[in-house]
Amino acid sequence: MAAAAALLSNGGAKIPATGRYAAVYSEVQNSRLDHPLPLPSVLKNPFTVVEGPPSSAAGNPDEIAKLFPFLFGQPSATLVPGDSSSVQELKIGVVLSGGQAPGGHNVISGIYDYLQSHCKGSTLYGFRGGPAGIMKCKYVVLTSDYVYPYRNQGGFDMICSGRDKIETPEQFMQAEETAIKLDLDGLVVIGGDDSNTNACLLAENFRSKSLKTKVIGCPKTIDGDLKCKEVPTSFGFDTACKIYAEMIGNVMIDARSTGKYYHFVRLMGRAASHITLECALQTHPNITLIGEEVAAKKQTLKNVTDYIADVICKRAELGYNYGVILIPEGLIDFIPEVQHLIAELNEILAHDIIDEAGAWKKKLTSKSVHLFDLLPLAIQDQLLLERDPHGNVQVAKIETEKMLIQMVETELEMRKKGASYKCQFKGQSHFFGYEGRCGLPSNFDSTYCYALGYAAAVLIQSGKTGLISSVGNLAAPVSEWTVGGTPLTLLMDVERRHGKFKPVIKKAMVELEGAPFKKFASLREEWALKNRYLNPGPIQFVGPASDAVNHTLLLELEAQV
Ligand code: FBP
């Protein structure tokens, strides 16, 4: 195979000879390179693209209509069997935006393979380093040799990613110049909610200037919060949860083996608690905090601490001085009192300089000052860290697990004085985040991403813009998956960011009435006191467990039927 020549031999292992770095591949990585990727039947046969009815928005449709006058209301697109016969040459750019998520390389492989098989002579440009690559026109022409070493591999290192945002008139102008310079027919933005919001703004801008460049989004994020009926899941969630669940399973066995530690595991996922919920369903920990529930019940930090301490005391009575506690990284942002504090800090950070003198602190309400002063110093500093380019608090950098260990310790000391608790408590903190973002994609993510890439290329070829690539019917065999595109404006609402109202894709949070949460809620008491630990082990690529799909997706799809 010609493409295989791109891999240099290195004592049995192979090295991709292209790309920024020469990496040595393990046997498993090698074995994944030629893993076959099945396609939905509709993509294997001639098809045609049909349109649905006009669309609205997830919230505030009138505002969204004003913000997107050229795109608002456009219909969704669905592929159905038909008579596609186009051999049109296309020039398409692709960009990876935001945090890594397993499967990104397969989206690019899908776009590439579609162009090779349906639009001979086409060119695929990979913009380097995220949206900045578009603005600076930094790209690489993706060839078969270039793409091959990244097939079914984790990471975003084929072209790398970045969190820059295209938002000022100058930046839109730079993007426009790149689109014109490269004569782009289309641009595929592979990203999360913020990046797809940006993709929509770009699509609107290009259309308003009558540019031929179409913009299509792709649902990426391990957080699992970019989803709706038409886009059932974001890629990377399945793999990341499986990786974390393996690690949690191992920690559980460690806890049971030594019998002396409470492991506080904070899990990535930014605002939403989907990852934490999914990991709980996969491993059955003693305590799982779900941010959305904490917010709905208007719990305070003290309530959360008491809940953990209560379970620890009950377990001590049963002779268990160990356990595993899962905490979503966004928890802190769900506790109403902390939420108020963060909202006030956001406004201050948008306009003031945070210095030692502390003049900024006078702008906080007295309640927020009181809470801020109660927090451990490390957490205070972490809350003041710069927001990301989209205005989000960088929750990945806030060590909530350490804060909770301290607070639970203090609470248990108090209870000891009151003689209501006699046993030892030793907390161990963990943060599982970056470990899950670049793993070898599961079979599900590999196949899903490949289909998403195909769909994105088809949408551009059909002249669509401002849509997000959508692959559905995911509980059925791959051959029956549906393929199409959903208007990005349909996913939009308005939100306050950096002190201003901005259009944003509405984050899909854990639904307390949804099937995954209800299942967890029906089992958590049993998991709290009886040790029902499940250790799922590493991701399997062959054998009976290799095609298992995560609980969240399956439960949500079953509930929709
Ligand atoms: P995306 O929303 O861009 O997919 O990023 C997800 C995420 O992994 C979050 O779970 C996490 O809070 C954040 O990225 C960390 O960001 P960074 O990589 O900039 O540290």
Side-chain angles (χ1 to χ4, degrees):
M1 183 193 292
L7 295 174
L8 306 176
S9 175
N10 176 29
K14 293 174 186 167
I15 309 169
T18 53
R20 275 176 68 188
Y21 306 106
V24 180
Y25 276 21
S26 69
E27 281 307 314
V28 179
Q29 282 178 297
N30 276 336
S31 73
R32 294 300 288 165
L33 286 169
D34 296 316
H35 166 73
L37 293 165
L39 276 173
S41 299
V42 73
L43 285 169
K44 289 203 284 194
N45 301 303
F47 57 78
T48 186
V49 179
V50 295
E51 293 189 344
S55 62
S56 181
N60 293 294
D62 295 342
E63 290 300 319
I64 299 298
K66 277 187 229 151
L67 290 161
F68 296 95
F70 289 88
L71 292 181
F72 182 78
Q74 46 164 3
S76 58
T78 308
L79 272 64
V80 296
D83 59 356
S84 54
S85 56
S86 170
V87 285
Q88 174 198 5
E89 271 181 32
L90 292 174
K91 293 195 180 81
I92 294 186
V94 61
V95 67
L96 292 162
S97 183
Q100 285 75 259
H105 289 151
N106 276 23
V107 179
I108 300 178
S109 303
I111 302 171
Y112 183 80
D113 288 0
Y114 181 82
L115 294 180
Q116 288 298 302
S117 57
H118 292 73
C119 314
K120 291 245 172 316
S122 294
T123 309
L124 181 59
Y125 298 98
F127 287 108
R128 286 187 178 280
I134 303 176
M135 296 185 275
K136 295 181 190 151
C137 199
K138 259 180 76 187
Y139 64 86
V140 56
V141 175
L142 298 173
T143 60
S144 167
D145 280 358
Y146 200 101
V147 172
Y148 177 74
Y150 298 96
R151 286 181 186 266
N152 300 308
Q153 307 294 317
F156 275 4
D157 43 332
M158 184 201 290
I159 51 175
C160 297
S161 180
R163 287 201 183 278
D164 301 276
K165 203 172 168 184
I166 302 173
E167 60 179 345
T168 64
E170 296 74 42
Q171 290 168 332
F172 277 115
M173 183 67 82
Q174 288 172 337
E176 235 175 278
E177 281 165 10
T178 296
I180 294 169
K181 183 173 170 197
L182 298 181
D183 191 28
L184 290 183
D185 295 291
L187 172 67
V188 181
V189 177
I190 304 174
D193 50 345
D194 287 326
S195 309
N196 275 287
T197 301
N198 223 211
C200 196
L201 288 165
L202 211 51
E204 176 74 19
N205 184 270
F206 286 171
R207 183 168 270 187
S208 72
K209 306 266 172 69
S210 302
L211 245 68
K212 72 166 184 174
T213 313
K214 313 289 184 247
V215 184
I216 297 296
C218 244
K220 170 238 70 168
T221 178
I222 61 162
D223 301 353
D225 58 1
L226 172 50
K227 62 179 169 186
C228 59
K229 198 163 143 271
E230 297 79 1
V231 182
T233 189
S234 57
F235 77 77
F237 174 77
D238 186 77
T239 308
C241 289
K242 284 173 177 159
I243 293 172
Y244 301 140
E246 180 202 355
M247 294 160 78
I248 295 163
N250 293 345
V251 162
M252 284 170 161
I253 308 297
D254 188 86
R256 194 166 64 196
S257 303
T258 63
K260 64 177 180 186
Y261 290 128
Y262 268 94
H263 293 274
F264 285 61
V265 182
R266 175 166 56 104
L267 289 156
M268 239 185 198
R270 210 194 280 284
S273 308
H274 296 291
I275 291 181
T276 302
L277 178 57
E278 173 63 26
C279 289
L281 291 166
Q282 289 191 28
T283 61
H284 309 176
N286 303 108
I287 297 175
T288 304
L289 302 173
I290 298 296
E292 290 82 341
E293 186 184 26
V294 168
K297 293 186 171 164
K298 298 195 172 30
Q299 290 180 331
T300 60
L301 267 178
K302 172 85 175 99
N303 296 147
V304 173
T305 309
D306 284 348
Y307 168 59
I308 300 174
D310 289 348
V311 174
I312 290 175
C313 289
K314 281 188 202 152
R315 286 179 59 79
E317 280 167 25
L318 297 169
Y320 306 133
N321 285 305
Y322 64 90
V324 174
I325 300 170
L326 302 190
I327 304 156
E329 74 171 0
L331 176 76
I332 193 141
D333 206 5
F334 276 107
I335 300 175
E337 55 188 347
V338 185
Q339 238 172 24
H340 290 144
L341 169 64
I342 290 178
E344 288 177 25
L345 288 175
N346 283 350
E347 294 286 331
I348 293 173
L349 283 166
H351 307 109
D352 291 62
I353 293 171
I354 305 290
D355 55 11
E356 296 281 313
W360 58 272
K361 221 172 152 184
K362 296 199 178 80
K363 296 197 172 170
L364 288 174
T365 55
S366 57
K367 261 188 172 176
S368 291
V369 173
H370 179 68
L371 177 64
F372 190 79
D373 289 342
L374 277 182
L375 296 171
L377 284 180
I379 301 289
Q380 291 185 359
D381 288 344
Q382 290 156 11
L383 281 175
L384 290 174
L385 287 173
E386 200 187 328
R387 284 9 184 189
D388 77 6
H390 299 275
N392 303 308
V393 178
Q394 299 189 55
V395 282
K397 298 192 171 58
I398 301 181
E399 295 171 318
T400 327
E401 70 287 14
K402 292 192 179 156
M403 179 186 81
L404 285 175
I405 290 177
Q406 268 188 32
M407 296 178 78
V408 168
E409 235 165 38
T410 311
E411 173 62 27
L412 291 175
E413 280 308 313
M414 302 251 294
R415 293 189 188 194
K416 264 187 192 171
K417 282 183 199 146
S420 62
Y421 170 68
K422 299 227 162 17
C423 299
Q424 277 189 356
F425 166 77
K426 280 193 202 150
Q428 288 287 357
S429 62
H430 308 262
F431 171 44
F432 297 161
Y434 299 96
E435 297 83 345
R437 300 200 312 183
C438 287
L440 282 165
S442 62
N443 282 350
F444 171 79
D445 271 329
S446 299
T447 309
Y448 180 52
C449 287
Y450 194 60
L452 285 172
Y454 252 69
V458 170
L459 293 171
I460 289 174
Q461 188 192 19
S462 334
K464 305 290 178 202
T465 191
L467 302 187
I468 185 165
S469 176
S470 314
V471 174
N473 200 23
L474 299 175
V478 178
S479 60
E480 293 166 33
W481 286 4
T482 57
V483 179
T486 306
L488 280 161
T489 45
L490 178 67
L491 279 60
M492 296 269 179
D493 198 347
V494 284
E495 222 177 66
R496 201 155 169 79
R497 297 260 177 120
H498 288 308
K500 285 188 190 145
F501 283 113
K502 289 266 169 79
V504 285
I505 288 185
K506 198 161 183 251
K507 274 192 199 299
M509 308 306 282
V510 168
E511 303 256 0
L512 302 185
E513 287 308 314
F517 181 82
K518 277 185 163 171
K519 176 153 189 198
F520 154 73
S522 72
L523 293 166
R524 65 175 148 188
E525 277 178 32
E526 184 183 329
W527 297 347
L529 302 184
K530 300 185 183 151
N531 300 323
R532 299 282 191 235
Y533 300 153
L534 255 190
N535 187 358
I539 292 182
Q540 304 292 299
F541 295 114
V542 289
S546 59
D547 289 325
V549 178
N550 61 80
H551 297 253
T552 304
L553 178 60
L554 286 184
L555 287 164
E556 283 176 349
L557 291 176
E558 274 167 25
Q560 273 175 27
V561 175

